[in-house]
Amino acid sequence: MSTYTLRIAPSLLSADFARLGEEVRAVIAAGADLIHFDVMDNHYVPNLTVGPMVCQAIRPHCQTAEGRPVPIDVHLMVQPVDALIPMFAEAGASLITFHPEASLHVDRTLQLIRSLGMKAGLALNPATPMHLIDHVMDRLDLVLLMSVNPGFGGQAFIESSLPKIELLRKRIDTTGRDIWLEVDGGVNTRNIRRIVAAGANTVVAGSAVFTGGDYVRSIEALRAEAAGGRT
Ligand code: DX5
Ligand code: ZN
């Protein structure tokens, strides 16, 4: 990687839902690059979270003290996918990622996301083969690699994700496109260096950011550890 920027995306799944706006402002003040917004439907995954109305409610909070907008990184763990996309566009989402198994027409769904002015991503579960992205690379702005099974925060990082990150990094580099490689699940100060060294340039961190309550310290610790893994 020639130009390297690590983006840290705190997952609101581990935030205090009773004080969501405040939590969003606090992680942005602490250096969050994106706000990761996990949408679960109790169908594609066995959990139920939030939807477009909550996305819209946090949107005004997604900016720095200087007024620079901070993108909302929507991770859809829902099936079907398409009907929610215009709703999230309206609600202020900047990026939408979905799971290819959850859409009958992946290419069409990717086109829909971009047609509404958002960045488009595909998420791969631990057991999902990488070839599912092969024929849509030109429609992708990011690939999200799940390093836990989707549905819950606070799970342990699955170690076999590391060689998969390396393989995905090679695939992305082969295209010559600026496709983000985001890793989601179980990221912490003990593994972020290896995750970044393997080729991730964007990491989601839920419990690693929100547990403990000192968000500045948590995000700085992640960055400091990651810095040792840069190539
Ligand atoms: C899991 C979600 C993740 C989760 C990450 O299905 O997609 O974004 O919130 O939480 P941690 O970092 O605690 O594993
Ligand atoms: Zn997520």
Side-chain angles (χ1 to χ4, degrees):
M1 280 170 277
S2 48
T3 53
Y4 184 91
T5 321
L6 175 66
R7 284 169 288 262
I8 295 186
S11 161
L12 295 184
L13 202 56
S14 295
D16 179 351
F17 273 45
R19 298 184 300 110
L20 216 42
E22 208 180 303
E23 293 276 71
V24 166
R25 290 198 307 275
V27 286
I28 289 172
D33 300 288
L34 305 163
I35 295 296
H36 189 78
F37 191 87
D38 287 303
V39 182
M40 304 185 187
D41 67 349
N42 188 37
H43 172 70
Y44 181 70
V45 290
N47 200 355
L48 186 63
T49 58
V50 287
M53 289 173 70
V54 177
C55 182
Q56 187 152 25
I58 64 160
R59 178 71 263 184
H61 301 276
C62 290
Q63 53 178 334
T64 62
E66 299 76 40
R68 181 178 53 81
V70 174
I72 304 179
D73 172 29
V74 172
H75 177 191
L76 292 181
M77 288 160 275
V78 304
Q79 187 175 26
V81 178
D82 290 6
L84 283 174
I85 288 171
M87 296 169 82
F88 273 104
E90 188 68 25
S94 315
L95 307 93
I96 295 192
T97 298
F98 65 97
H99 289 250
E101 307 91 334
S103 173
L104 275 180
H105 304 288
V106 170
D107 183 280
R108 176 181 285 151
T109 304
L110 290 168
Q111 288 193 57
L112 176 61
I113 295 170
R114 280 191 170 172
S115 75
L116 294 169
M118 299 174 289
K119 289 184 194 288
L122 278 177
L124 301 175
N125 288 331
T128 304
M130 284 182 298
H131 67 73
L132 288 194
I133 65 174
D134 276 356
H135 304 288
V136 288
M137 294 299 270
D138 58 332
R139 300 212 190 279
L140 288 180
D141 298 295
L142 75 110
V143 176
L144 183 153
L145 180 68
M146 291 299 306
S147 40
V148 298
N149 288 292
F152 302 94
Q155 303 180 78
F157 182 81
I158 295 174
E159 288 291 327
S160 61
S161 308
L162 287 165
K164 200 170 176 185
I165 297 168
E166 284 177 16
L167 290 168
L168 277 168
R169 168 49 59 201
K170 285 194 189 119
R171 279 187 190 216
I172 289 171
D173 287 350
T174 305
T175 69
R177 293 175 184 272
D178 181 22
I179 299 171
W180 296 3
L181 177 48
E182 181 171 31
V183 172
D184 185 4
V187 176
N188 58 41
T189 51
R190 295 177 303 284
N191 57 27
I192 193 169
R193 186 176 296 207
R194 288 179 291 140
I195 291 166
V196 165
N201 56 20
T202 308
V203 294
V204 176
S207 41
V209 167
F210 286 97
T211 306
D214 187 341
Y215 307 156
V216 173
R217 193 173 172 173
S218 306
I219 292 176
E220 276 178 2
L222 287 168
R223 269 193 218 288
E225 274 302 322
R230 290 181 194 180
T231 53

